[in-house]
Amino acid sequence: MKRVKSIVVFVIALVLCLAMTAHAAEKTQAFKFGTIPVLQSLPLFVAAEKGFFREQGLNVDIVLFNSAMEKDIAFTSGQIAGYFGDIMTPVVLVANGMKIKMVAVNFNTTADQRMFAVLASPKAKDQDVASVAAAGIATGSNTIAEYLIIRLLPENKVPRGSIKLVDIKSIPIRLQMLLSGQVSAALLPEPLATLAETKGARTVADDRGYGISATVLAFNTDFLSRNPAAVRSFLAAVDKASAYINQHPDEVRGIMNRSCKVPEALQSSFPIPRFPKVYTPAESQVMDVYRWLREKKIVKKDLTYKDLVADGYIR
């Protein structure tokens, strides 16, 4: 009789255990989130490796793409629920009928922290900003890089009409052409801007203090409406990762070097970026990017701030 009771107790315990496991599995939200290997995406890699997504009850697969174009194709084909990127791309996607909204900014430049720089070639004779602008600055046409130059150089007293742009979309090729003197100047992101400086290039302007280089986290709008709690938990995990980076920079250097493709020459010395708590994209910045896209005729559709940004997901 005792043996029968023991078996019954065991079976009941097993059933309860399985039920609890199933319940936990039901509560775990699984989805894929895309990014490219750049410094501003570091909190995503830290959140994944340190288990911060799991702590929030999420099973997030951070999908790494080699280019923004690959990432955008994956999003438009429904392979990922959301992605990290600049402000410009979601605006273009919305204008073309895609269901996407930005929910948070995870990085922007500060007075002492840059992310993009215009550098004069080591072989350029005239290395002031006006001279290199007139000679030609290598950038990617119709990209956030071009937008940054057009907004940045007038702030450095270079009239917009005197800025000559050279279309070189590949950033590694842009770097090579800068160092070899095939172009007089180029816009480069970090850490390649610092790498170029170590090889003789000279910065003539950068985005420190201008607040025009925000990177955002965006989601499919259907996913947002179906999974608001998961999105809030995702942003909370990113916040925890950002705080961890700020408090333990040396501990995340390995993750940064590996996941953000830091050049070997800079892996021990490049400063770890500091990250803010996520915040809602500012209407002034989002709409400034939108107006520039309208001016360029890249976007032809009337859009409002509410068409582009979803508020209410930040805890």
Side-chain angles (χ1 to χ4, degrees):
M1 188 68 178
K2 288 182 179 179
R3 186 163 178 263
V4 172
K5 286 184 178 180
S6 297
I7 292 172
V8 170
V9 170
F10 173 77
V11 170
I12 292 172
L14 181 61
V15 169
L16 288 173
C17 182
L18 290 172
M20 290 175 67
T21 301
H23 182 63
E26 286 176 3
K27 292 183 70 175
T28 301
Q29 178 70 54
F31 59 89
K32 294 180 179 181
F33 193 87
T35 188
I36 51 177
V38 294
L39 292 171
Q40 305 98 308
S41 63
L42 179 58
L44 298 174
F45 299 113
V46 171
E49 292 203 23
K50 295 295 182 182
F52 299 152
F53 289 130
R54 289 194 301 275
E55 288 177 5
Q56 292 289 332
L58 302 175
N59 179 11
V60 181
D61 180 8
I62 299 297
V63 183
L64 186 61
F65 296 94
N66 291 321
S67 70
M69 182 177 293
E70 289 180 11
K71 174 177 55 98
D72 295 339
I73 291 171
F75 179 82
T76 56
S77 62
Q79 296 175 46
I80 53 177
Y83 71 69
F84 157 95
D86 56 53
I87 289 176
M88 180 176 144
T89 306
V91 177
V92 174
L93 290 177
V94 171
N96 284 281
M98 291 302 302
K99 295 181 176 181
I100 184 172
K101 283 192 177 184
M102 295 171 268
V103 296
V105 171
N106 84 300
F107 181 86
N108 206 340
T109 54
T110 59
D112 61 349
Q113 182 172 243
R114 75 182 184 187
M115 193 49 64
F116 291 89
V118 177
L119 299 107
S121 169
K123 301 182 184 299
K125 292 180 180 178
D126 297 313
Q127 294 193 329
D128 64 280
V129 64
S131 297
V132 298
I137 302 172
T139 186
S141 64
N142 298 335
T143 66
I144 199 69
E146 181 185 348
Y147 167 81
L148 291 174
I149 290 175
I150 295 303
R151 290 294 182 262
L152 189 60
L153 265 58
E155 295 289 339
N156 285 266
K157 299 181 170 39
V158 179
R160 185 167 177 176
S162 67
I163 301 170
K164 178 183 176 182
L165 301 179
V166 181
D167 186 18
I168 304 171
K169 286 189 169 56
S170 170
I171 295 173
I173 293 175
R174 205 184 302 164
L175 172 62
Q176 292 171 10
M177 293 181 71
L178 174 75
L179 297 178
S180 66
Q182 292 175 266
V183 292
S184 65
L187 180 105
L188 294 173
E190 289 291 10
L192 295 183
T194 295
L195 181 65
E197 286 178 330
T198 68
K199 296 180 181 295
R202 190 176 70 85
T203 294
V204 296
D206 63 39
D207 60 354
R208 271 179 284 210
Y210 290 103
I212 58 174
S213 308
T215 53
V216 297
L217 308 173
F219 281 90
N220 175 282
T221 54
D222 289 339
F223 184 88
L224 283 173
S225 61
R226 290 195 301 263
N227 305 282
V231 175
R232 293 187 186 100
S233 296
F234 177 87
L235 296 179
V238 172
D239 263 345
K240 184 168 183 178
S242 296
Y244 189 91
I245 293 166
N246 297 341
Q247 294 163 11
H248 309 282
D250 292 337
E251 292 184 29
V252 302
R253 182 170 292 280
I255 300 175
M256 181 184 77
N257 289 341
R258 181 175 64 254
S259 300
C260 303
K261 309 297 185 188
V262 177
E264 187 174 352
L266 300 177
Q267 289 189 355
S268 63
S269 60
F270 190 82
I272 310 294
R274 296 181 307 280
F275 291 87
K277 286 178 65 68
V278 297
Y279 58 92
T280 304
E283 182 172 359
S284 58
Q285 186 173 15
V286 170
M287 297 312 290
D288 187 63
V289 172
Y290 164 72
R291 284 189 292 271
W292 180 76
L293 291 167
R294 285 297 299 263
E295 180 185 322
K296 293 277 292 179
K297 295 184 171 38
I298 298 170
V299 166
K300 299 178 181 179
K301 185 177 180 180
D302 290 336
L303 297 173
T304 67
Y305 175 71
K306 289 186 177 180
D307 293 326
L308 303 167
V309 175
D311 199 359
Y313 291 90
I314 298 172
R315 290 178 181 173

